[in-house]
Amino acid sequence: MKCRICEKKATIKLPQYNLKLCDSCFLDFFKKRVKKTIDSFKMFSLYDDILIAVSGGKDSLVLWSVLSELGYRVSGLHIDLGIEGYSEFCKQKVLDFSESRGLPLKIIGIKEIFGVGIKELARIAKRASCRICGMIRRYLINREAKDFYCVVTGHTLDDEASSLLGNVIHWHVGFLKRQYPVLEENGSLKRKAKPFSFVFENEIVFYAKLKNIDFVRERCPLSKKATSYVYKSMFSFLEERMPHIKLSFYKEFLKRKNYFFSEEKEQLKECKICGYLTVTDICNFCKLKKKVEEYQFQKA
Amino acid sequence: MKCRICEKKATIKLPQYNLKLCDSCFLDFFKKRVKKTIDSFKMFSLYDDILIAVSGGKDSLVLWSVLSELGYRVSGLHIDLGIEGYSEFCKQKVLDFSESRGLPLKIIGIKEIFGVGIKELARIAKRASCRICGMIRRYLINREAKDFYCVVTGHTLDDEASSLLGNVIHWHVGFLKRQYPVLEENGSLKRKAKPFSFVFENEIVFYAKLKNIDFVRERCPLSKKATSYVYKSMFSFLEERMPHIKLSFYKEFLKRKNYFFSEEKEQLKECKICGYLTVTDICNFCKLKKKVEEYQFQKA
């Protein structure tokens, strides 16, 4: 097995591109693809301050590593979700990574804001924990990004393709209209970019291995029933039989998106409490805060 | 386990409707659903002559059985594909069924038309056998339906949902525009209807069992690599985890179809040889016939 580029011994096989590469050519290939995505979608430049949301998982840590190597000005933001037996562990991985690379990091804790962690919040709000968690993270990341040009997240092609599949299977037109590698700033909603939109997870795992990036391998204990995993497994089943299908499904969607699902700007207004853009008078974050306060008051 | 309708002992569990039924209530439920589909899509009436394409598999034989019981005027058409060790067996199942029920049947053979069977035709045409087979069947069914009001086929919800999924994954806009339980007559292209569009395969298997319908259980030996099976397995994986998802995926698509994929009539013209409507000057069936003649001539 020879490296397609330099003809030395290949160390990785990428069936999605029908490609075999050696360590050094892979690193080069990987970085070039990420750079190309950033440039072709005009995500941000080398002069912009960008904020990366890091969970401690492979995707966000590898993205942080690549963006720093490419010379971007990236600061990390970690949200401590307060999940017992899990969040402490995630925080430690992020801290270790930022310290060893000398990269700036800010940590904010859900418990410091609400007095309780995600699990309890979901119970109080009577909602699925993944839903509450997603809403809170989006809110806090946006709030913390106030002085940055752009927020970046480690969403991979596997995430994008499987969430696209889920949105198509349920014909969630609203989500289909908004799914894109970059979302422009909209009032108080910060610009968001996903530089890994065309990167497969197996590439990320290999990159992490070569760069000795230590990440959290365990799945969040609260997400065991998450439907996103069902779509991911479903798509991996297909990808095994039709390599490249994830990439072509997502790319073709992007090409035809405006034809199918023409974008109409949603009517958003400012939350009467915090000013966050929302479809109702009070945003979900502030509603949740109120609910928790009432709950604590009744308990006391 | 009690029957939801009559409270006698239930014999079948239908997770897709969260329903348990006894034999007799199931038969009633099944027939009513098929009748409702035929009526709500105005497929055909009790006074129309309809032609059913029967392969010998469970779907088409069960459809033939139900339509006859419901009082429709249905004649069978079987196409003998000339696949060694398989087609003879299929033909026999169809013959047995039609004789035991006293239902009219016509059989036409590919070998009588081309001199060779599907396998050889695919080799001569240098195309996948499923593709050649589908094209020939569509052509012959349409030709034989000349004096009928409508052609019906046994496509089930499993077929429709998985082919919809395949069309979405490849963003085959042309197919997406045309996918519907009934297709209006268009010049020489006969009206086509799929009364099982909302029926799950497990219902058909149970119906066949209760009515002692003996069908071909083996998959066609030429279709082992067919991608349609990949989408079917993929969807069954999802349905196990989210019962009802096939039905809602397909139904929601039908509701929103015109919004997403507005139908523009395709520019079809008559084949210069046989008059069949096609997008090119000569239809694929006539092209294939010519190719086979040339091949035979060169061989002789």
Side-chain angles (χ1 to χ4, degrees), chain A residues 165 168-171 173 177 227 230-231 233-234 237-238 242 245 249 252-253 256 259-261, chain B residues 165 168-171 173 177 227 230-231 233-234 237-238 241-242 245 249 252-253 256 259-261:
Chain A
L165 183 68
V168 164
I169 282 181
H170 294 283
W171 298 105
V173 183
K177 281 180 184 169
T227 50
V230 178
Y231 297 120
S233 328
M234 195 173 158
F237 172 86
L238 191 63
M242 305 178 185
I245 190 81
F249 173 55
E252 288 299 312
F253 163 75
R256 291 148 191 256
Y259 169 70
F260 293 147
F261 315 103
Chain B
L165 183 68
V168 164
I169 282 180
H170 294 283
W171 298 105
V173 183
K177 281 179 186 171
T227 50
V230 178
Y231 298 120
S233 329
M234 194 172 158
F237 173 86
L238 191 63
R241 282 148 188 89
M242 305 178 185
I245 190 80
F249 173 54
E252 288 300 312
F253 163 75
R256 290 147 193 256
Y259 169 70
F260 294 148
F261 315 104

Side-chain angles (χ1 to χ4, degrees), chain A residues 68-267:
Chain A
S68 309
E69 280 177 58
L70 287 169
Y72 290 104
R73 289 153 57 166
V74 214
S75 299
L77 171 69
H78 175 72
I79 299 172
D80 177 349
L81 302 167
I83 300 166
E84 219 176 314
Y86 185 70
S87 294
E88 267 305 315
F89 187 54
C90 297
K91 189 161 78 181
Q92 199 52 52
K93 296 279 181 199
V94 177
L95 268 169
D96 291 349
F97 180 87
S98 80
E99 275 167 18
S100 69
R101 263 90 173 166
L103 296 169
L105 170 69
K106 180 171 179 180
I107 298 178
I108 45 176
I110 296 284
K111 277 199 178 162
E112 278 77 72
I113 299 169
F114 291 98
V116 291
I118 289 291
K119 199 172 173 180
E120 292 74 21
L121 283 175
R123 207 171 37 82
I124 295 169
K126 291 181 184 117
R127 290 281 174 85
S129 43
C130 291
R131 207 164 155 184
I132 288 292
C133 182
M135 182 273 287
I136 292 178
R137 278 188 292 127
R138 276 191 301 278
Y139 184 95
L140 292 175
I141 292 166
N142 192 69
R143 191 182 77 184
E144 295 301 317
K146 209 162 60 87
D147 299 325
F148 289 85
Y149 173 69
C150 179
V151 170
V152 300
T153 55
H155 289 92
T156 64
L157 175 65
D158 299 68
D159 296 322
E160 293 304 294
S162 58
S163 98
L164 177 58
L165 183 68
N167 286 335
V168 164
I169 282 181
H170 294 283
W171 298 105
H172 282 152
V173 183
F175 292 134
L176 287 167
K177 281 180 184 169
R178 263 174 287 152
Q179 193 160 5
Y180 206 67
V182 62
L183 286 175
E184 299 296 334
E185 182 165 310
N186 177 6
S188 62
L189 295 176
K190 270 286 157 185
R191 182 182 187 77
K192 279 178 200 138
K194 303 170 190 170
F196 278 172
S197 288
F198 303 105
V199 171
F200 286 79
E201 277 181 7
N202 60 353
E203 300 172 64
I204 291 170
V205 172
F206 196 63
Y207 185 94
K209 193 183 143 200
L210 292 181
K211 291 281 179 179
N212 286 316
I213 297 172
D214 186 23
F215 57 84
V216 181
R217 281 173 168 79
E218 290 71 28
R219 256 170 65 176
C220 168
L222 303 184
S223 77
K224 292 275 148 80
K225 284 183 188 166
T227 50
S228 57
Y229 289 106
V230 178
Y231 297 120
K232 267 200 177 174
S233 328
M234 195 173 158
F235 226 128
S236 298
F237 172 86
L238 191 63
E239 180 80 24
E240 265 174 48
R241 282 147 189 90
M242 305 178 185
H244 199 77
I245 190 81
K246 268 180 206 166
L247 194 58
S248 71
F249 173 55
Y250 184 57
K251 273 193 167 173
E252 288 299 312
F253 163 75
L254 293 180
K255 262 192 225 162
R256 291 148 191 256
K257 182 177 171 271
N258 288 338
Y259 169 70
F260 293 147
F261 315 103
S262 59
E263 198 174 0
E264 302 141 25
K265 278 244 161 148
E266 260 182 314
Q267 287 305 316

